[in-house]
Amino acid sequence: MNKNKDFPKRYTIKDLVKLVNGKYEGKLSAEHLIEGISSIEENDKSKITFAENKHFLSRAADMAKGVVLIDNSIEDSNIDNVIKVDNVRLSYAKIAEKFKCTPYHASGIHKSAVIEDNVALGKNVSINSNVYIGKNTEIGDNTVIAPGVKISENVVIGKNVEIHPNVVIECHSEIGDNVIIEASSVIGSEGYGYITNDEGEHYHIPQLGNVVIEDNVEIGSCVTIDRGTQSSTVIGKGTKIDNQVQIGHNVKVGQNCLLVGQVGIAGSSILGDNVILAGRVGIVDHVELGDNAIVGAASIVTSDIPADSFYLGNPAQDRLQELKARAVRNKLPNYRRELNKLKDKDL
Amino acid sequence: MNKNKDFPKRYTIKDLVKLVNGKYEGKLSAEHLIEGISSIEENDKSKITFAENKHFLSRAADMAKGVVLIDNSIEDSNIDNVIKVDNVRLSYAKIAEKFKCTPYHASGIHKSAVIEDNVALGKNVSINSNVYIGKNTEIGDNTVIAPGVKISENVVIGKNVEIHPNVVIECHSEIGDNVIIEASSVIGSEGYGYITNDEGEHYHIPQLGNVVIEDNVEIGSCVTIDRGTQSSTVIGKGTKIDNQVQIGHNVKVGQNCLLVGQVGIAGSSILGDNVILAGRVGIVDHVELGDNAIVGAASIVTSDIPADSFYLGNPAQDRLQELKARAVRNKLPNYRRELNKLKDKDL
Amino acid sequence: MNKNKDFPKRYTIKDLVKLVNGKYEGKLSAEHLIEGISSIEENDKSKITFAENKHFLSRAADMAKGVVLIDNSIEDSNIDNVIKVDNVRLSYAKIAEKFKCTPYHASGIHKSAVIEDNVALGKNVSINSNVYIGKNTEIGDNTVIAPGVKISENVVIGKNVEIHPNVVIECHSEIGDNVIIEASSVIGSEGYGYITNDEGEHYHIPQLGNVVIEDNVEIGSCVTIDRGTQSSTVIGKGTKIDNQVQIGHNVKVGQNCLLVGQVGIAGSSILGDNVILAGRVGIVDHVELGDNAIVGAASIVTSDIPADSFYLGNPAQDRLQELKARAVRNKLPNYRRELNKLKDKDL
């Protein structure tokens, strides 16, 4: 039915070589147009891919008809068309960036957007359909706000920010430059704070702090980050958060941390820099993880973790200790039998 | 205040008998109108319910004043009005389908919908208020798009699809026929792929693949499914996904799988057909589960699982082994004491 | 760029003293204007804070320049300006309530809201931009519906309710008075009910019940609550639900329960009153938790739990038993060695 799918993003091999500071050796002309990236298996003449080790270099030699990024050090790859670079993966990422889908990037303000008083919009912003922006909010240059995003009042958003559809940003949130937030996430919701009276009823303590998302942070979809009780919940520079992560009020996450899918961090806990929380890790409230700490998948952290350590388990402990405990676990029924034998002999 | 709740869906007993190919025996006339389903307890003359075993048949005989679906094999149920069928539950499902709430099904395109260039809409589609549809997107016959749904560009959606409010579907997603997606889910968000440089900064690898949702798939609310890195994240035909499930980039889920609430599947893992993941199961990246595998609630799968197996635990292992290990666990303090006794004697 | 952030909420010290029935002793005039709350560290002359024990009272004496709430029993606090009260935390909560951000509270109906036939709106309601309200729905006095909320047909919502942006409320849901629902939550989605035929295909059983949210319930962001199969999924009066909680069809939660972040309750389970589920607790289907039961973080409840008990673990058991089992776990490699020594001696 619909025959006109456009391919607006095309670059010559020459363009791409220049982008990654590479060296081209191949049969295709340097003016040949590349229209996208692909896996090695699907690499036709209109595509570019990459190959990083012997296994993939060999597969590329067999089947890659388009262009392949390879390391500078490779002499004879037997691949039809290569661009040689210092860092293959980083170069691939730079090129892939050029082919990204950018559906919400038409500059200007859609007529259906609802923008309250005293909102300050930077240069070249894209405010898409059905966006809501509350009063006094500031949005920096080049920022893209996708359809359906709801930004409350007194929010500050930096430059080159990309906010996907239906994200909600509550009042007083501060978002830095180059931040990406995927669809349907919620920044700055009310945190979970209650006092219980003598009748067992829970009275809500209003959470009047905010959320601070620093520069270069990336946040997945359906992530929830609560605002602080009196000050800020902070996500440090360069930290990357995967889907469905929950971050409680007053949490401080350091710089360049990696929080993988479905992680949960309870209120007031603190992560240092470069901390890695694998998928589904849970952190209880009021604990501290030192710089460079790593926590293995599905672990539950119930007390402080030293810097540079690798923890695992529920409750989480040093990973080697945890693996020892696990190794023994399945042998326990045997111990029972052996213990019984010894007891019988002993009688 | 509001007295006019309409009940637009009414069917005669005769209609319903025909629908399920049943046999009616009862006091109420075949022209009597049924207005909805109910539990046995709440079964008045305007409702239909079902009873599947001795316990429920007996309760129905006591209290059901409306119509009750029962099995063909039951001779004297003592229930006032019965429809006898081959498969009680399946017949109930067919009838319940007729009483479903269909609030978003007014055909046509709401004037507030924002539809970009070159969008192809099938016959009898319902595009509700504040829907956004990006360019080149195709939507099949009879499909219902509820208020607030955001569909990006170059998306293909099949026939008879039902998408609930505020769902977000990112670019290049492919959705088959008869798919249902509940509210606020996100299909095709950017996956979690990073390379880390020597300074510890994480550089994002753009994920330029897509998501493919095959025919007859049903997806719950607040589900997140990331698109592939270079190719597709795939959900196979007939698979049913519950709320708050997270599916990482490049995952392939087979046909007729059941993924229960809060399940998480990390990148590049593969599920065969008919796999059942109970609630809260987590699957690490790059593992494979064979056809018909079952994983028990809250288990964490850390390596491949054979076809036809039943696994449980963290890390998941054969369920019987896991249960043996668990049975011993609480007796361990006793072992300690017995071991001590033996050691003391031995001195 | 944007110099005019307004501070619409200001109260004299006299106002606040009256609100909490307190006694003021301080250097600042009773007419002095307070503009917000703060932590003790950030307490300048325009702010109010609280101090509850020796540690915080001492810090407040050192650094709090504004007003500090303290207990009646404190004679000489050495704090510049105090309001003495019976219950410090409760008084703080009452005052904080006055400084809450209320961005969506402009009364009236935004012109972009889409309101179907026969909708009944109470007095002083705020229906913000791009809200959708389905037919026959009723909304009570003073209720605030934020931008982008989607309310289906035949829904009843009470008075003084606050619904944050992009929440979705499906048909026939009933929401009581004084309820708060944070952004992007989904109330009344289709539950997960299937019958499997002989070919392994799963046929959906339409869930035609509803969700009932009683008075004074508070619900976090990205929470999903499925409607009942034939009757209601119920959240009892005064219960507080944190972010990303998933509640399956037919669940009944009692009054004044606390469900912390990422909790999951599977279908048909029942919680009594005053039950506390710590973060990440999972409850399987068809179990019952007695009044006042407490379940520790990340536990998985697989069978009934008695009233007044404290359970922990996976599977959850009495907390003391669980802690004993955990205490032994790391010593198991030692047991192995000791057992071996005894066996060798025994040969």
Side-chain angles (χ1 to χ4, degrees), chain B residues 278-343:
Chain B
R280 200 58 88 70
V281 163
I283 314 273
V284 301
D285 61 293
H286 289 90
V287 297
E288 194 160 341
L289 279 62
D291 293 346
N292 311 312
I294 301 176
V295 184
S299 302
I300 304 294
V301 175
T302 55
S303 53
D304 291 356
I305 286 188
D308 304 304
S309 54
F310 191 161
Y311 269 47
L312 180 69
N314 174 15
Q317 60 177 330
D318 180 83
R319 180 173 166 274
L320 290 177
Q321 264 196 286
E322 172 69 18
L323 292 176
K324 275 185 199 161
R326 289 186 183 189
V328 163
R329 186 170 181 262
N330 275 2
K331 300 176 186 154
L332 294 176
N334 287 345
Y335 292 10
R336 173 72 270 168
R337 281 188 284 275
E338 293 181 31
L339 204 51
N340 284 344
K341 263 204 258 177
L342 286 168
K343 281 171 64 188

Side-chain angles (χ1 to χ4, degrees), chain C residues 41-218:
Chain C
E41 290 72 26
E42 293 168 339
N43 184 251
D44 62 45
K45 285 198 174 136
S46 70
K47 301 275 161 47
I48 183 166
T49 188
F50 69 95
E52 266 188 313
N53 58 41
K54 282 207 171 117
H55 168 74
F56 289 113
L57 285 163
S58 162
R59 287 177 75 74
D62 284 342
M63 57 182 79
K65 299 292 157 219
V67 178
V68 185
L69 285 159
I70 67 175
D71 190 84
N72 256 331
S73 60
I74 315 284
E75 296 274 338
D76 300 303
S77 64
N78 288 326
I79 302 171
D80 288 358
N81 313 287
V82 294
I83 297 176
K84 293 185 171 184
V85 288
D86 282 338
N87 187 325
V88 172
R89 206 170 273 253
L90 203 63
S91 302
Y92 171 78
K94 282 187 180 156
I95 287 173
E97 189 75 30
K98 291 296 193 185
F99 290 108
K100 256 189 80 162
C101 195
T102 53
Y104 314 119
H105 284 219
S107 288
I109 302 173
H110 195 272
K111 60 176 158 59
S112 68
V114 174
I115 301 184
E116 305 278 27
D117 294 339
N118 201 32
V119 165
L121 299 178
K123 289 190 292 285
N124 192 37
V125 294
S126 306
I127 307 294
N128 280 262
S129 56
N130 297 323
V131 165
Y132 171 83
I133 304 180
K135 60 183 179 171
N136 304 330
T137 283
E138 300 177 28
I139 298 188
D141 298 342
N142 309 317
T143 283
V144 175
I145 309 291
V149 171
K150 310 294 187 293
I151 303 172
S152 190
E153 56 186 40
N154 291 313
V155 168
V156 177
I157 296 179
K159 304 175 188 181
N160 311 315
V161 171
E162 190 179 305
I163 300 185
H164 281 252
N166 288 352
V167 164
V168 175
I169 301 176
E170 297 280 21
C171 55
H172 294 291
S173 297
E174 293 173 36
I175 297 183
D177 298 335
N178 313 318
V179 168
I180 299 174
I181 304 177
E182 297 286 325
S184 299
S185 285
V186 179
I187 309 296
S189 36
E190 186 87 0
Y192 195 74
Y194 293 94
I195 23 172
T196 306
N197 65 20
D198 297 330
E199 285 78 46
E201 294 161 347
H202 311 293
Y203 195 91
H204 184 79
I205 300 173
Q207 306 288 306
L208 302 187
N210 74 341
V211 172
V212 172
I213 308 287
E214 293 186 353
D215 296 345
N216 308 330
V217 166
E218 294 172 20

Side-chain angles (χ1 to χ4, degrees), chain A residues 89-334:
Chain A
R89 206 170 272 251
L90 203 62
S91 302
Y92 171 78
K94 282 187 180 155
I95 287 174
E97 190 75 31
K98 290 296 193 185
F99 290 109
K100 256 188 83 164
C101 194
T102 53
Y104 315 119
H105 285 218
S107 289
I109 302 173
H110 196 272
K111 59 174 159 58
S112 68
V114 174
I115 302 185
E116 305 277 27
D117 293 339
N118 200 32
V119 165
L121 298 179
K123 290 191 291 283
N124 193 38
V125 295
S126 305
I127 307 294
N128 280 264
S129 56
N130 296 323
V131 164
Y132 171 83
I133 304 181
K135 60 184 177 169
N136 306 329
T137 283
E138 300 176 29
I139 298 187
D141 298 344
N142 309 318
T143 282
V144 175
I145 310 290
V149 171
K150 309 293 186 294
I151 304 173
S152 189
E153 55 188 39
N154 293 311
V155 168
V156 177
I157 297 178
K159 305 175 186 179
N160 312 316
V161 171
E162 190 180 303
I163 300 185
H164 282 252
N166 289 351
V167 164
V168 175
I169 301 176
E170 297 280 20
C171 54
H172 295 289
S173 297
E174 294 172 36
I175 296 182
D177 298 335
N178 314 319
V179 168
I180 298 174
I181 304 177
E182 296 286 324
S184 297
S185 284
V186 178
I187 309 297
S189 36
E190 186 87 1
Y192 195 74
Y194 293 95
I195 25 171
T196 305
N197 67 19
D198 297 329
E199 284 80 46
E201 294 161 348
H202 311 294
Y203 195 91
H204 184 78
I205 301 173
Q207 305 288 305
L208 303 186
N210 74 340
V211 173
V212 173
I213 308 287
E214 295 185 351
D215 296 346
N216 308 330
V217 166
E218 295 172 19
I219 294 173
S221 51
C222 289
V223 169
T224 52
I225 302 180
D226 284 341
R227 60 180 177 264
T229 307
Q230 297 169 331
S231 52
S232 303
T233 301
V234 181
I235 308 297
K237 221 165 163 177
T239 281
K240 316 294 182 188
I241 300 177
D242 197 358
N243 301 346
Q244 304 215 22
V245 168
Q246 148 66 4
I247 296 187
H249 53 178
N250 309 310
V251 164
K252 314 274 189 242
V253 175
Q255 301 192 6
N256 296 321
C257 293
L258 295 175
L259 310 188
V260 186
Q262 295 182 325
V263 153
I265 306 179
S268 301
S269 281
I270 298 173
L271 270 57
D273 297 335
N274 313 312
V275 170
I276 299 177
L277 302 184
R280 200 57 88 70
V281 164
I283 315 273
V284 303
D285 61 292
H286 289 92
V287 297
E288 194 160 340
L289 278 63
D291 293 345
N292 313 312
I294 301 176
V295 184
S299 302
I300 303 293
V301 176
T302 56
S303 54
D304 291 355
I305 286 188
D308 305 304
S309 54
F310 191 160
Y311 270 46
L312 181 69
N314 173 15
Q317 60 177 330
D318 179 85
R319 180 173 165 272
L320 290 177
Q321 265 195 286
E322 172 69 18
L323 291 176
K324 275 185 199 160
R326 289 186 185 189
V328 163
R329 186 169 180 263
N330 276 1
K331 300 177 187 152
L332 294 175
N334 288 344

